[in-house]
Every structure is written in C-alpha cells, then in structure tokens.
Amino acid sequence: MTNKETIAVVYRVISAYPFYAKHITDEMVEDMIREWHEGLKNIPPNGVMEAVTMLITENQWMPTLAEVISKILDIQYGTEDDIIIALDRAISRSSLYIIFGEVTDEQRQGFERLTPFQKLIIQSPYEFNMWLTKDHEWKRERVRRIKREISFGRHQDYLNGKQPDVIGNGFNVFKALEDRKNGKDQ
C-alpha cells in the first residue's frame, strides 16, 4: 500500500466512528497513519479495504491495526475453526491409523500435499501424524499462534499473497530422529 492509500483507509475508519472523530487530534491522525502504513505497507490495498469494510459493519468500536490484519488473514485463510476443519479433513484422508513415533508413507505424502500456510501450522510429518490426537483447544491455539506471528510480520509474505513454496530451512528435530533411526545420522 502506498502512503496515500493508507491515508484513505485511516480516514475511512475514523469517519465510520464519529464519536472518536471528535476526540482525535491532527497529531493523533498523523501518528495513526504512520503506524498503519508501517503495518500495512506490504498488503494489497483492496484486501485492506475489504477487511476494514467488514470490521466497520461488524464492530461497535473502532478497529485497531491488529484487528484489521487479523481480519485480512481471516479473509485469506478462514477463521481458526475453518483452518482446523480443513486440516482435519486433509489429515484424516492420509492417516488411517496412528503409530506413535512412526510416520507412514501415506502420512508423509499427505504432509507434502499441505499448502505452505498449512505447513506453518503443521511443521513436520510427525506433527501431521499426531494432529488428530490433539484436542480442539490445542489446535486452535496453534493456528492462533501462526496467525499472530504473521500479523506481527514474522511471515510477511502471507499477508501480501506471495507465499513461498518451501517453508523454513532450519533444524527439524523430528527429521533428525527419523534419520538417526534409519542410520543416516552422521
């Protein structure tokens, strides 16, 4: 988003809440524009405006930048429950049975079929194997954590639609254990 587009978004939000508009100074508006531009600069403007429009029609109170980013993620990927349902379906098709500590070829292939966003949530075939054994609150917290990391800019590409094909290149403890078991450990 350009600075001009950010200004339009900020004034759209302020004008939708006239009670706040009476109490906001020009200096506060400038600070808000600067902060919102920093948080939204890598996001396409139509996605931001769609999220703002939805929040204005839903919320009684003026939305924060974090709420706007969260709504953008909800629009792109669905709510936490939508994401959990999609993952449960994908995993249940690949996991006919669960063997603790082992991953079947079907589960490994099912993990590879996950989208890059889903691979942020489930980071290894082992986690893919164990997902169905977790309770709903655990799953919800995992999804919430990833969405929060994205909204804080850790995975900025997911906000602007430029998702990487490969997730991470760090050390995977589950893969290391698997390699050791198969005699591939150094």
Side-chain angles (χ1 to χ4, degrees):
M1 283 186 66
T2 65
N3 198 42
K4 190 174 182 178
E5 291 165 335
T6 304
I7 291 169
V9 167
V10 168
Y11 276 104
R12 171 92 193 277
V13 170
I14 291 172
S15 66
Y17 297 91
F19 175 77
Y20 290 111
K22 292 188 287 189
H23 304 287
I24 295 178
T25 65
D26 291 342
E27 188 176 290
M28 291 167 76
V29 171
E30 288 176 20
D31 289 343
M32 189 173 172
I33 290 168
R34 190 171 31 260
E35 289 299 320
W36 282 48
H37 180 67
E38 186 61 33
L40 301 172
K41 66 183 175 188
N42 295 324
I43 304 172
N46 55 350
V48 174
M49 205 49 100
E50 182 182 353
V52 166
T53 300
M54 290 178 80
L55 286 168
I56 287 171
T57 59
E58 295 170 359
N59 291 355
Q60 179 179 359
W61 311 109
M62 190 163 78
T64 63
L65 175 59
E67 289 172 320
V68 171
I69 291 173
S70 179
K71 182 57 85 172
I72 291 167
L73 291 170
D74 285 349
I75 291 168
Q76 279 186 320
Y77 302 110
T79 64
E80 284 93 1
D81 288 333
D82 295 337
I83 294 166
I84 291 168
I85 289 168
L87 283 167
D88 284 349
R89 284 184 185 151
I91 292 169
S92 65
R93 285 192 296 264
S94 299
S95 295
L96 299 176
Y97 53 90
I98 297 171
I99 302 172
F100 290 93
E102 290 188 32
V103 177
T104 65
D105 289 336
E106 292 83 15
Q107 291 164 335
R108 197 173 271 103
Q109 291 166 359
F111 173 76
E112 293 305 320
R113 285 190 299 265
L114 293 178
T115 67
F117 176 73
Q118 291 171 329
K119 286 182 181 178
L120 285 175
I121 299 165
I122 300 175
Q123 299 177 354
S124 72
Y126 180 79
E127 287 183 8
F128 183 90
N129 181 22
M130 300 307 296
W131 178 264
L132 294 177
T133 65
K134 303 298 183 181
D135 70 342
H136 189 73
E137 277 308 306
W138 184 91
K139 294 175 184 179
R140 192 179 201 136
E141 185 53 38
R142 174 65 75 93
V143 171
R144 229 182 256 132
R145 180 181 57 100
I146 294 300
K147 287 177 85 174
R148 198 169 35 246
E149 287 177 0
I150 291 171
S151 68
F152 292 151
R154 181 160 172 224
H155 308 288
Q156 194 64 38
D157 289 341
Y158 289 88
L159 285 172
N160 62 22
K162 298 177 183 168
Q163 299 176 7
D165 292 332
V166 178
I167 304 299
N169 57 0
F171 178 74
N172 184 332
V173 67
F174 301 112
K175 181 166 182 352
L177 290 171
E178 202 171 296
D179 288 347
R180 178 177 292 163
K181 179 181 164 193
N182 295 331
K184 297 178 186 174
D185 192 24
Q186 300 293 333

